[in-house]
Amino acid sequence: MSKKTPGLNTICTHIGEIKDEQYKGAVSPMYLSTSYEFMDVDVKRYPRYFNTPNQVHLAKKIAALEHAESAMIFGSGMAAISTMFLAFLRQGDHLVVQNTLYGGTLNFIKEEFPKYGIEYTFTNGYKVDDFEAAIQPNTKLIHIETPSNPLMTITDIRAIAELGKSKDIFTSIDNTFASPVNQNPMDLGIDMVMHSATKYFGGHSDILAGAVASSDENIERIWNVGKNLGGSLSDMTVWMLERSMKTLGLRVKAQTKNAMKLAKWLEKHPNVSKVNYPGLKSHPEYKLAKSQMSGFGAMLSFELIGELDALQFQKELKLIKSSMSLAGIESTMLSPHLTSHSLLSQEERDAIGLSNQLIRFSVGIENVKDLKQDINQAMDALR
Ligand SMILES: *Cc1c(COP(=O)(O)O)cnc(C)c1O
């Protein structure tokens, strides 16, 4: 980045703000019109065209964060991903996609693709060779998730981008877990980056939204499909998302720092048999993670020893909440075998190493000593 490029927290605070020319207020005005003039205007504006003032301006912040030319904001992460897929895949095309995938994306592919005549292959693993082996003559898109949910596997982003370029195949990544604070895949050659903005972008567990960032050309292609599918975000929520994103850098850095401390502590804990966190030297892809992430993120997972009931442990927690979702400023935990991976059979879960003792931990901004104390008191209560 050049010296002129603003830093992370400056982008979060200022890029894309709307100047309040009328009243000189400090924050962006909220434009809620669904009806704009059609005569003598440069742009015919309509919320479903993704081009109201608040949508256009906030998209600039997201593009700046992902070092992309353009971005689009959607009504959910799934609206972003489904629109992106349908913009780059048509009848007879083939998608290569990671086997450990966010459940909603997996369902979208399995339930909807057959209706469109789009083919797909789930990889056998998260290594570049696994992706290469799945490529067919009609493959048009490779989609990855790194770090992955919930085992935090790391896929080589540079190598996937090179693989795509060498075979004229588009590449996309779900960057939700790392967030642009910790990982910028477009700098590593990936074509498109998508986010569930419901997670770190919103950060307070009160906004459902999504985003895609890419080149002007790719975003135009996504826009052409997006206006037909109709998955834009209402301007009131766009405004709330802008408000949330001002602290994205601060929040995620604090959460990432906490996660590193807790991962190290849990790894030594006598009641914990395994910790999955890319920032630990014991992680099989630690070096790769270090080479492609600027921070290791705030998501981790760990296994309790067999004597402790993983569900009972979560019930005993007083500060850390049990939650289906993730990435809020509050720490949350869940059991993947009962939530995101409940549709897999025991054999399938065993095959990917997902035990019933595994707990996914979305680390928040609380003080680490209080989180440790909560974990310890819940463990003690089980003895
Ligand atoms: C939550 C999530 C999604 C889907 O986003 P929604 O906003 O719930 O539609 C996609 N990918 C990942 C990694 C997620 O965590």
Side-chain angles (χ1 to χ4, degrees):
M1 264 201 271
S2 78
K3 273 191 182 148
K4 281 200 174 137
T5 311
L8 173 69
N9 287 323
T10 310
I11 294 175
C12 288
T13 316
H14 291 296
I15 298 292
E17 63 192 341
I18 304 177
K19 280 217 162 58
D20 178 3
E21 301 289 358
Q22 196 174 8
Y23 294 110
K24 315 289 180 200
V27 303
S28 300
M30 193 198 293
Y31 292 93
L32 291 180
S33 290
T34 54
S35 175
Y36 287 85
E37 190 162 318
F38 74 94
M39 280 184 291
D40 308 319
V41 290
D42 303 338
V43 187
K44 292 197 176 67
R45 295 186 198 275
Y46 186 59
R48 184 165 46 74
Y49 295 165
F50 300 86
N51 65 3
T52 56
N54 291 90
Q55 290 181 86
V56 169
H57 279 261
L58 184 59
K60 288 183 188 164
K61 194 193 296 294
I62 293 169
L65 284 167
E66 283 295 7
H67 309 164
E69 285 173 359
S70 286
M72 275 172 74
I73 301 155
F74 291 86
S76 69
M78 283 315 302
I81 204 157
S82 56
T83 307
M84 181 178 79
F85 279 175
L86 295 177
F88 284 84
L89 297 164
R90 62 171 66 203
Q91 189 176 20
D93 287 346
H94 177 259
L95 167 74
V96 171
V97 71
Q98 196 159 334
N99 61 344
T100 49
L101 200 63
Y102 173 72
T105 311
L106 183 130
N107 291 342
F108 174 64
I109 293 167
K110 282 193 171 167
E111 292 171 18
E112 307 305 327
F113 274 26
K115 299 178 194 165
Y116 291 90
I118 302 170
E119 297 164 15
Y120 58 88
T121 304
F122 286 94
T123 60
N124 285 324
Y126 57 89
K127 308 254 180 179
V128 177
D129 290 350
D130 299 313
F131 287 86
E132 188 155 14
I135 291 176
Q136 304 289 322
N138 54 343
T139 302
K140 291 284 155 45
L141 181 66
I142 300 173
H143 181 72
I144 62 170
E145 251 177 56
T146 178
S148 73
N149 178 30
L151 294 167
M152 312 302 293
T153 60
I154 301 292
T155 295
D156 189 334
I157 300 176
R158 280 186 195 89
I160 291 290
E162 274 166 32
L163 177 65
K165 285 196 172 64
S166 72
K167 297 193 184 281
D168 231 1
I169 299 169
F170 282 103
T171 52
S172 62
I173 183 170
D174 186 330
N175 204 28
T176 302
F177 265 39
S179 94
V181 176
N182 289 316
Q183 183 166 279
N184 293 118
M186 292 197 51
D187 291 348
L188 307 173
I190 290 285
D191 295 313
M192 297 175 279
V193 178
M194 64 76 49
H195 284 275
S196 168
T198 310
K199 313 296 163 53
Y200 288 109
F201 283 16
H204 297 73
S205 307
D206 55 9
I207 287 173
L208 185 80
V212 181
S214 189
S215 63
D216 288 336
E217 195 183 345
N218 290 343
I219 290 295
E220 188 177 338
R221 196 162 157 174
I222 296 168
W223 182 83
N224 278 312
V225 175
K227 70 179 195 314
N228 295 335
L229 292 179
S232 59
L233 184 65
S234 91
D235 279 295
M236 201 175 300
T237 317
V238 172
W239 188 91
M240 280 182 66
L241 187 57
E242 184 195 350
R243 185 188 202 276
S244 294
M245 288 188 69
K246 290 178 187 180
T247 56
L248 176 73
L250 287 177
R251 282 188 276 109
V252 176
K253 285 229 153 127
Q255 288 170 272
T256 298
K257 212 169 155 185
N258 279 359
M260 183 62 127
K261 285 183 189 159
L262 287 162
K264 283 185 175 161
W265 177 74
L266 285 168
E267 196 174 35
K268 292 207 187 95
H269 203 292
N271 290 337
V272 173
S273 54
K274 189 163 196 281
V275 181
N276 305 302
Y277 184 64
L280 292 177
K281 295 216 170 75
S282 58
H283 189 287
E285 275 82 39
Y286 167 74
K287 280 201 179 121
L288 174 61
K290 208 172 169 190
S291 78
Q292 65 186 24
M293 303 179 83
S294 51
F296 297 104
M299 297 297 301
L300 61 94
S301 58
F302 63 96
E303 280 178 37
L304 284 184
I305 53 167
E307 297 91 299
L308 299 184
D309 184 287
L311 272 190
Q312 207 52 43
F313 163 74
Q314 289 171 82
K315 283 186 187 155
E316 293 292 349
L317 293 166
K318 296 196 162 61
L319 185 64
I320 300 168
K321 294 188 168 104
S322 116
S323 165
M324 286 277 286
S325 197
L326 60 111
I329 48 164
E330 72 284 8
S331 290
T332 62
M333 287 189 186
L334 63 68
S335 287
H337 79 285
L338 295 177
T339 52
S340 54
H341 294 68
S342 62
L343 295 179
L344 300 188
S345 66
Q346 186 70 51
E347 291 75 42
E348 285 172 313
R349 285 197 293 265
D350 289 345
I352 58 169
L354 200 156
S355 111
N356 292 358
Q357 289 297 90
L358 187 77
I359 295 171
R360 190 186 75 187
F361 190 0
S362 170
V363 179
I365 62 167
E366 302 92 337
N367 295 89
V368 170
K369 72 170 174 50
D370 297 324
L371 295 170
K372 285 181 183 171
Q373 196 175 40
D374 194 30
I375 291 168
N376 274 337
Q377 70 76 27
M379 286 170 173
D380 290 346
L382 299 185
R383 294 285 187 182

